[in-house]
Amino acid sequence: MKSLAFASRNSKEILRDKLNIGFGVGFPVILLVLLTLIQSNVPVDMFKIETLAPGIVIFGLAFISLFSAVLISKDRSESLILRLFTSPLTPADYILGYTLPMLPIAVAQTAICYIVSFLLGLKLSFNVLLAVAVSIPAAVLFISIGLLCGALLNDKQVGGVCGALLTNLTAWLSGIWFDPNLVGGWFRKFSNLLPFMHAVNAGRAAMAGNYSKILPELAVVAGYALVVSVLAVLAFNKKMNSDEI
Amino acid sequence: MTAIETKDLTKKYKDKVAVDALNLTIEQGEMFALLGVNGAGKTTTIKMLSCLTRPTGGDAVILGDSITKNSLKVKEKINVSTQETAVARNLSVRENLEFICSIYGFGKAESKKRADEMIEKFDFREIEKSKAKTLSGGWQRRLSIAMALISEPRVLFLDEPTLGLDVLARRELWNIIEKLKGKITIILTTHYLEEAEHLSDRIAVMSKGCLKAVGTAAELMELTGADNFEDAFVSLAGNVTV
């Protein structure tokens, strides 16, 4: 109950920041429209809407990390967190309170991307719903990254790490715009090692109906999500019990 | 009845002793002021008592519960108004008040009722729908204190509650604090000596983490042989002969 009350406050804080919403939803949608326009003039397989949409969805989810990390680091920098730390909220209430509002926001962001994709020619099918479901582990991963960064970094550092580094890593190493296998070498190995490309591949497999390919890709994403979630909880607990909030 | 009892309460940061074996007893319903110059250990003491930072030695018992062994129980009975204004900036005045009620476990109807009472008491009617970030510093401070009171704590910590307020706003807050006297236990830190003298039942003077003296303003003046409270404070806090 207390965690829900805290979650409600957190969702209000995020949704009332128009820049957050404009950037987090608007930017992926603009990319989707622009790349579809390019595809209509210069056909590229990768920019076909069924291939592009699952990639853009994952790219959009990277902004969820920024939302949650900024909220937490801002809370830490202001006195409100001192008031909250003297209240009967438990560590579990904080973690749930910061995590719960992000999931519906992530699902809404994914849904908006697919609705725009329908307008751009994507056919409505069961596989689209499956692709939405397949993006949930990636959403959990990005929320956990946000929780971890928010607990450890200040608001300026969060802007650099989640705003610049993470979105660029997701953009370049996920295979949304080009196939890392074509670059080869360390770039391909590095892309394979990180979860972003696997998250995109799982979405694309769902969309294409290649059901047997979904689970192996999703396992990597879920593994990362689990590890980062545990690290985030540990970091948050450590911060709560330290003198330096 | 004892509200707070500290037993050799100590906080060390590496080799610096912020609070050194503090022994204090504060009665229920008492308005108790902690005075001292910067770095005396007042805020660290409040932070330990409000479970924000763990003591490195000793303990304190608040209304029967230890701050080191049962901090969650302690947190249910206390509330704090921190030195800086502590409000959720993107929430309205009413939302801030109801938010605090909800994290202290009150239901929707009770939260609304309590928020209504605070809005009346603190004269928030005209600004109840305004976001906290749009309020002036004085109104934000009033809201911050209302948020500390809305859970009806049995022990309230006020850390420099009137810092940065103009004379009128300060007097208004004094009136609000005075009305609470005897009803709840209040621990107040302040740099304004006249505030401590005017509001408090007893005053503790701290210097370099140590407790120098405890008593009423009159007792402290008598103890130091000073003609006024400021001279008594200077004598105790600064080891200066007046």
Side-chain angles (χ1 to χ4, degrees):
Chain A
M1 190 65 196
K2 288 173 190 169
S3 54
L4 288 181
F6 187 47
S8 160
R9 173 261 166 180
N10 292 336
S11 51
K12 281 177 192 161
E13 287 279 350
I14 293 165
L15 295 173
R16 285 177 187 178
D17 189 335
K18 291 183 180 69
L19 195 66
N20 256 350
I21 298 305
F23 210 64
V25 175
F27 194 45
V29 166
I30 289 169
L31 279 174
L32 204 55
V33 173
L34 277 179
L35 293 174
T36 307
L37 283 175
I38 292 172
Q39 156 72 14
S40 65
N41 292 321
V42 186
V44 182
D45 277 352
M46 200 157 246
F47 291 171
K48 280 182 183 166
I49 195 69
E50 334 47 87
T51 314
L52 185 63
I56 295 290
V57 161
I58 299 302
F59 179 64
L61 288 175
F63 290 95
I64 297 286
S65 296
L66 184 63
F67 294 167
S68 59
V70 166
L71 176 68
I72 297 165
S73 63
K74 254 192 177 174
D75 277 353
R76 279 178 42 229
S77 70
E78 291 175 356
S79 291
L80 181 69
I81 202 77
L82 297 180
R83 180 190 289 290
L84 298 179
F85 279 7
T86 62
S87 77
L89 286 177
T90 61
D93 289 327
Y94 285 102
I95 287 155
L96 280 174
Y98 281 124
T99 307
L100 288 177
M102 299 300 165
L103 272 174
I105 292 173
V107 171
Q109 192 192 38
T110 302
I112 289 169
C113 275
Y114 279 114
I115 288 166
V116 173
S117 300
F118 292 137
L119 299 174
L120 295 171
L122 184 68
K123 289 191 174 61
L124 181 61
S125 68
F126 165 76
N127 288 346
V128 177
L129 288 177
L130 186 63
V132 172
V134 158
S135 69
I136 289 174
V140 173
L141 170 65
F142 282 113
I143 291 167
S144 308
I145 293 173
L147 197 61
L148 182 66
C149 291
L152 296 177
L153 308 174
N154 64 38
D155 46 355
K156 277 186 185 167
Q157 291 168 326
V158 156
V161 172
C162 290
L165 184 66
L166 184 65
T167 47
N168 271 293
L169 280 177
T170 313
W172 298 111
L173 302 174
S174 59
I176 301 171
W177 348 95
F178 60 90
D179 185 355
N181 291 320
L182 295 176
V183 183
W186 66 269
F187 192 89
R188 183 178 59 83
K189 282 183 193 161
F190 197 46
S191 300
N192 252 314
L193 212 61
L194 293 174
F196 313 118
M197 193 170 74
H198 299 285
V200 173
N201 287 346
R204 283 176 176 163
M207 191 70 93
N210 294 331
Y211 305 129
S212 61
K213 283 190 177 172
I214 297 173
L215 272 183
E217 300 283 5
L218 217 51
V220 179
V221 183
Y224 265 97
L226 184 70
V227 170
V228 179
S229 297
V230 170
L231 288 176
V233 170
L234 291 175
F236 208 86
N237 271 324
K238 197 176 174 199
K239 275 285 169 188
M240 271 194 79
N241 292 317
S242 78
D243 291 327
E244 293 290 322
I245 293 165
Chain B
M1 286 279 283
T2 302
I4 300 174
E5 188 178 9
T6 71
K7 299 164 194 163
D8 295 326
L9 192 67
T10 302
K11 182 70 183 179
K12 288 181 186 170
Y13 294 100
K14 291 181 182 166
D15 52 349
K16 188 182 177 296
V17 181
V19 175
D20 192 5
L22 184 68
N23 287 295
L24 268 180
T25 303
I26 300 168
E27 298 302 319
Q28 282 191 38
E30 193 173 9
M31 173 89 75
F32 191 89
L34 276 177
L35 293 186
V37 293
N38 288 335
K42 310 180 298 286
T43 297
T44 306
T45 302
I46 295 246
K47 280 186 171 176
M48 284 191 284
L49 293 176
S50 57
C51 309
L52 263 178
T53 186
R54 280 186 74 84
T56 48
D59 199 356
V61 175
I62 298 184
L63 298 166
D65 286 303
S66 153
I67 59 166
T68 56
K69 297 181 190 82
N70 212 352
S71 61
L72 202 59
K73 280 273 173 212
V74 171
K75 286 176 178 183
E76 287 169 359
K77 299 171 192 168
I78 66 167
N79 210 321
V80 184
S81 175
T82 55
Q83 247 177 52
E84 301 87 13
T85 305
V87 296
R89 294 167 53 77
N90 272 326
L91 299 193
S92 70
V93 169
R94 176 176 282 281
E95 285 171 337
N96 264 291
L97 293 167
E98 291 182 355
F99 166 54
I100 295 299
C101 283
S102 59
I103 62 170
Y104 277 81
F106 300 111
K108 249 187 173 174
E110 179 65 19
S111 299
K112 189 184 174 303
K113 184 177 148 256
R114 286 179 182 231
D116 284 338
E117 284 167 12
M118 283 295 155
I119 284 167
E120 219 44 64
K121 197 174 197 173
F122 281 80
D123 212 9
F124 289 148
R125 187 59 63 198
E126 281 182 23
I127 54 159
E128 68 170 293
K129 287 179 183 160
S130 305
K131 282 186 187 168
K133 67 181 178 188
T134 64
L135 305 178
S136 69
W139 281 103
Q140 284 193 13
R141 182 56 63 96
R142 283 167 77 107
L143 174 59
S144 189
I145 291 175
M147 287 163 73
L149 287 171
I150 199 163
S151 64
E152 291 185 0
R154 290 173 68 192
V155 177
L156 175 66
F157 296 96
L158 296 174
D159 195 5
E160 309 267 4
T162 59
L163 189 73
L165 294 187
D166 61 43
V167 177
L168 291 179
R170 186 184 304 169
R171 283 299 166 103
E172 278 180 22
L173 264 182
W174 282 17
N175 289 337
I176 292 166
I177 293 168
E178 274 188 308
K179 282 179 192 158
L180 297 168
K181 272 182 93 164
K183 293 176 189 162
I184 58 174
T185 309
I186 299 178
I187 293 86
L188 167 84
T189 76
T190 180
H191 277 297
Y192 302 112
L193 299 181
E194 75 280 12
E195 189 165 281
E197 193 178 3
H198 179 83
L199 293 173
S200 312
D201 298 315
R202 283 193 305 151
I203 297 164
V205 179
M206 292 181 74
S207 176
K208 294 175 184 168
C210 296
L211 182 66
K212 291 293 179 182
V214 187
T216 62
E219 284 169 351
L220 295 181
M221 284 193 283
E222 195 183 319
L223 181 75
T224 53
D227 293 334
N228 58 64
F229 184 63
E230 185 172 324
D231 285 345
F233 171 76
V234 170
S235 171
L236 289 164
N239 279 332
V240 176
T241 309
V242 182

